[in-house]
Amino acid sequence: MSRLKTILLVATWDLMKLRNQKVFVAMRLAWFTVQVLVFARAISYIVTRTVENYTGGVEYYYFYILGVYTTLLYSTSIARGYMVAEEFDDGIVEYHLSLPVKRSTLAIGRVLGGGVSTLIFTLPMMIIVYTVLRVRDPVIVAISLASALVFSAGVVSLVILLVFTIKSTDLTDIIVGAIDALLVRLSTVFYPLPVIASTGIAPYYVAATLNPISHMSDFLRILVFPEYYLVAPYGPLASILYLVGFSMGLLLLAIEFYEKKLETGGWR
Amino acid sequence: MRRKAVEIINFTKKFGDFTAVEDLNLDIYENEIFGLLGPNGSGKTTTLLTIATVYKPTSGDIYVYGHSVTREDYEVRKLVGIAFQEPKAMWIDKAIDLLTWHARIVGYPREEAKRVVREVMELLGLWEHRNKYFYQLSGGTRKKVELAKVLIQKPRIAILDEPTAQVDVLSKHALWDVIKKLRSEGTTVIIATNDMFEAERVCERIAIIYRGKLRALGTISELKDSVPKGDIIEIQVQEELRDREALRELEVFGRVSVNSDMITIYSDKAEEKVVDVIDALRKRGLQVKRIMVKEPSLDDVFTYLTGAKLRE
């Protein structure tokens, strides 16, 4: 069996789990629809029109719902990682490590599987957002999907590394929860970068600039509303290179970890 | 000379300060059913998981058909299949999905995978449960799903960690037949168990492990013979034995105790001595009503070697 085929087969492990979570996906979709169509509208009314000076003229509602989609993409990727923690707890990692598969293939397959299943999970939400935004260009949709996959693979790699290093359900909850809260808040998902700059809090601005969530949400914004590029300090090419670097770097670390360090036992 | 399938050399495994297995040396030969016998926590599973490359040795090494688990782990995994002690699945999994995925990942093409999965599920009586979620299955059925993975894989070395734990008695016998069939098809089988009946029934050679150390190794009869005076010859005679001289004569075979018409002799290799015992009694004019030779059980062997009971 070729290596690529084995990677794809490993990836189907996560897709198999997704198939058995239809009710969960439906509930999440219903909640997201309410969030985009009701709460996002309400929040946008509160925000003054002057914010459009910071969004390159993009209506805050549109700015916001792309941020909400990015947050969902991020939290779903984190949830895939939690599933790996649960698998560790249930001993499934032991099963995977015993399979006649190279460890690097297993690592790539799990990251790809986590990424693709996140993409499928969030696809209905993307359709809702792009319908509201009236995005019909298939190229924009294809690039959005590809970038979402790259971003998600990076986050899944990060969580897998954390889970396998921490080896504790409780500690994983605390640390991943803290990272989750910090990364989302120190990003541009809800506030444009010029607004963050105007606060004068340098660490906040630096964190938001280096944050992969900022790059993901701003990349989608520039893709859909090119005028946002006018206020974004980094262009789409810089953002996508940053995201690819983020994902590839973490994937390489995950591969290294699977090959050299990973063994089960000692889970708390 | 028999070919070594697994060679364990000075294998030690530690988890932090805890030593799970200490300086284990063991050879397992091709196409035998080998048993690792010991109570829970004795180091059996740690040894099996290291053979399967799930754990890495702290020191020493294990070779599977000459491939080191530390340096050639992928080569080892291509030769080994394992049925874990605790079935490996999440509550939302369905047996058929798990087994089909397993068949594909061990190399079956799509259609062939479907065929072999159905064949194995039918063999183990799992087909009717194929679409149930894992949480809906009984403990015994879950164990069968675990065993099914190995039967699908048909590895050169099958590792079965307590394969019939939680399985009902009728199914146990069926599974033992399946395990023997697996061996007859060319697979070397390594079983970890704390069930002495299972060990006696299925295994050809046994290693007794206790507190991470190898305490004994051999065939079942070799292990039983290792218990001094472990065999028991029970003789029921026509009348109560009052002849002191006859008693003294019997003592050459071993320690003798008399209770009314029952004579009990604790001896070694009783099967070889029983004829002489009968002759000695006849010479004294004693009529033998009934005679029975009992071997020590593996539990007795274990207790003799470790001072503990198998199920602590």
Side-chain angles (χ1 to χ4, degrees):
Chain A
M1 193 158 45
S2 73
R3 185 147 191 230
L4 179 64
K5 199 171 173 185
T6 311
I7 289 173
L8 294 176
L9 272 172
V10 172
T12 59
W13 174 265
D14 288 281
L15 302 181
M16 186 170 81
K17 307 286 164 175
L18 195 63
R19 210 172 55 195
N20 296 336
Q21 290 180 306
K22 290 185 195 106
V23 176
F24 185 61
V25 175
M27 282 167 59
R28 197 72 194 256
L29 177 62
W31 168 243
F32 185 81
T33 308
V34 172
Q35 196 178 6
V36 166
L37 299 182
V38 182
F39 294 118
R41 275 280 176 216
I43 287 166
S44 304
Y45 280 124
I46 298 167
V47 175
T48 64
R49 305 289 299 178
T50 54
V51 83
E52 285 178 15
N53 296 331
Y54 296 106
T55 59
V58 178
E59 194 183 318
Y60 183 72
Y61 175 65
Y62 296 148
F63 175 92
Y64 182 83
I65 59 174
L66 280 168
V68 168
Y69 168 72
T70 307
T71 311
L72 180 81
L73 196 63
Y74 171 71
S75 61
T76 308
S77 308
I78 291 275
R80 308 314 305 173
Y82 269 122
M83 190 161 262
V84 174
E86 211 176 313
E87 286 180 357
F88 212 137
D89 223 359
D90 290 343
I92 291 166
V93 174
E94 287 177 355
Y95 165 56
H96 285 162
L97 293 181
S98 74
L99 291 168
V101 173
K102 281 186 178 166
R103 292 280 152 84
S104 54
T105 306
L106 189 60
I108 298 169
R110 286 315 304 271
V111 169
L112 183 67
V116 172
S117 59
T118 299
L119 203 62
I120 293 171
F121 189 101
T122 56
L123 190 62
M125 291 73 155
M126 182 188 250
I127 291 169
I128 289 173
V129 170
Y130 277 22
T131 303
V132 170
L133 297 175
R134 294 186 195 89
V135 175
R136 291 191 184 87
D137 187 342
V139 177
I140 290 179
V141 174
I143 295 173
S144 302
L145 287 171
S147 58
L149 179 62
V150 169
F151 171 75
S152 176
V155 178
V156 171
S157 300
L158 174 70
V159 185
I160 285 177
L161 278 167
L162 283 171
V163 166
F164 287 167
T165 310
I166 297 166
K167 284 191 174 182
S168 158
T169 310
D170 293 341
L171 212 55
T172 298
D173 279 350
I174 295 165
I175 292 178
V176 175
I179 291 173
D180 188 7
L182 274 175
L183 275 180
V184 171
R185 275 146 196 83
L186 298 175
S187 74
T188 61
V189 286
F190 301 130
Y191 315 109
L193 204 55
V195 171
I196 295 172
S198 70
T199 62
I201 307 167
Y204 183 15
Y205 179 78
V206 173
T209 312
L210 296 175
N211 193 330
I213 301 178
S214 299
H215 284 276
M216 184 65 217
S217 54
D218 287 342
F219 179 76
L220 291 178
R221 284 167 185 145
I222 294 170
L223 205 59
V224 179
F225 302 106
E227 59 268 36
Y228 183 66
Y229 188 26
L230 298 171
V231 293
Y234 33 71
L237 186 63
S239 281
I240 201 66
L241 285 176
Y242 185 86
L243 290 173
V244 169
F246 163 75
S247 293
M248 286 305 293
L250 286 167
L251 176 61
L252 289 174
L253 272 177
I255 291 171
E256 182 71 5
F257 193 82
Y258 260 84
E259 282 190 334
K260 302 273 165 63
K261 295 254 187 242
L262 182 59
E263 66 172 352
T264 56
W267 182 264
R268 297 179 299 277
Chain B
M1 205 170 111
R2 296 179 75 184
R3 188 178 179 194
K4 287 175 189 172
V6 179
E7 199 176 356
I8 302 175
I9 302 171
N10 303 125
F11 165 58
T12 296
K13 179 65 188 175
K14 293 183 179 183
F15 296 101
D17 295 334
F18 174 69
T19 303
V21 180
E22 192 177 347
D23 201 27
L24 183 66
N25 288 281
L26 200 62
D27 291 337
I28 298 167
Y29 297 107
E30 188 171 49
N31 206 220
E32 72 174 335
I33 302 183
F34 187 87
L36 283 177
L37 187 67
N40 295 334
S42 59
K44 306 185 300 286
T45 299
T46 302
T47 304
L48 295 186
L49 290 184
T50 312
I51 296 172
T53 78
V54 175
Y55 291 161
K56 300 174 199 296
T58 305
S59 63
D61 208 343
I62 297 176
Y63 295 88
V64 175
Y65 282 105
H67 298 290
S68 156
V69 297
T70 51
R71 294 187 305 277
E72 301 161 282
D73 59 318
Y74 175 52
E75 297 304 319
V76 171
R77 284 196 295 279
K78 286 197 276 188
L79 299 167
V80 173
I82 179 166
F84 291 89
Q85 187 180 344
E86 295 295 331
K88 304 299 184 194
M90 290 169 83
W91 62 278
I92 52 165
D93 294 328
K94 290 177 182 172
I96 191 152
D97 292 340
L98 279 176
L99 294 177
T100 306
W101 186 83
H102 184 80
R104 297 283 285 129
I105 207 83
V106 299
Y108 286 96
R110 192 185 301 274
E111 289 308 312
E112 183 72 358
K114 283 184 190 168
R115 188 194 60 74
V116 76
V117 166
R118 178 165 190 159
E119 197 178 287
V120 170
M121 289 187 93
E122 282 177 346
L123 174 74
L124 296 175
L126 288 170
W127 188 244
E128 61 185 297
H129 303 295
R130 64 190 178 280
N131 283 320
K132 286 183 184 165
Y133 290 107
F134 221 67
Y135 72 88
Q136 295 171 313
L137 303 177
S138 68
T141 309
R142 290 178 191 183
K143 288 291 286 186
K144 286 183 187 174
V145 173
E146 201 56 36
L147 182 64
K149 288 179 188 168
V150 170
L151 297 181
I152 288 166
Q153 191 173 347
K154 292 195 179 87
R156 283 184 74 182
I157 298 175
I159 296 174
L160 313 176
D161 196 353
E162 300 191 13
T164 60
Q166 302 175 55
V167 174
D168 63 83
V169 179
L170 275 178
S171 298
K172 266 187 189 188
H173 284 266
L175 291 185
W176 290 334
D177 289 342
V178 167
I179 292 167
K180 284 176 183 171
K181 186 167 176 280
L182 188 66
R183 194 278 302 273
S184 70
E185 288 168 358
T187 298
T188 304
V189 182
I190 308 171
I191 297 178
T193 185
N194 55 20
D195 179 343
M196 58 180 172
F197 185 65
E198 177 168 84
E200 286 207 55
R201 182 73 195 249
V202 184
C203 302
E204 292 151 349
R205 282 198 315 137
I206 287 174
I208 293 180
I209 296 187
Y210 184 61
R211 293 188 175 164
K213 289 184 178 171
L214 179 69
R215 303 300 173 122
L217 173 68
T219 62
I220 288 162
S221 66
E222 283 167 354
L223 290 176
K224 287 181 173 178
D225 285 344
S226 71
V227 182
K229 317 288 182 206
D231 292 354
I232 299 164
I233 306 170
E234 278 183 351
I235 311 141
Q236 189 177 19
V237 287
Q238 209 69 302
E239 296 161 16
E240 194 172 338
L241 183 68
R242 295 177 196 278
D243 186 347
R244 291 273 158 206
E245 199 59 34
L247 194 63
R248 257 197 299 279
E249 222 163 88
L250 288 179
E251 277 171 353
V252 300
F253 300 109
R255 188 166 63 83
V256 181
S257 83
V258 179
N259 186 1
S260 180
D261 60 345
M262 282 297 294
I263 305 167
T264 308
I265 304 171
Y266 299 91
S267 178
D268 294 317
K269 299 188 175 165
E271 66 280 2
E272 293 170 14
K273 295 174 182 171
V274 70
V275 178
D276 296 336
V277 170
I278 294 169
D279 277 352
L281 289 169
R282 277 190 184 146
K283 276 182 196 161
R284 288 280 161 188
L286 288 162
Q287 288 296 312
V288 175
K289 242 169 94 180
R290 192 170 64 89
I291 190 157
M292 197 161 72
V293 176
K294 286 201 293 193
E295 288 183 310
S297 67
L298 277 177
D299 209 10
D300 297 328
V301 175
F302 187 80
T303 305
Y304 168 72
L305 291 168
T306 65
K309 299 292 281 181
L310 253 176
R311 293 183 184 276
E312 300 191 301

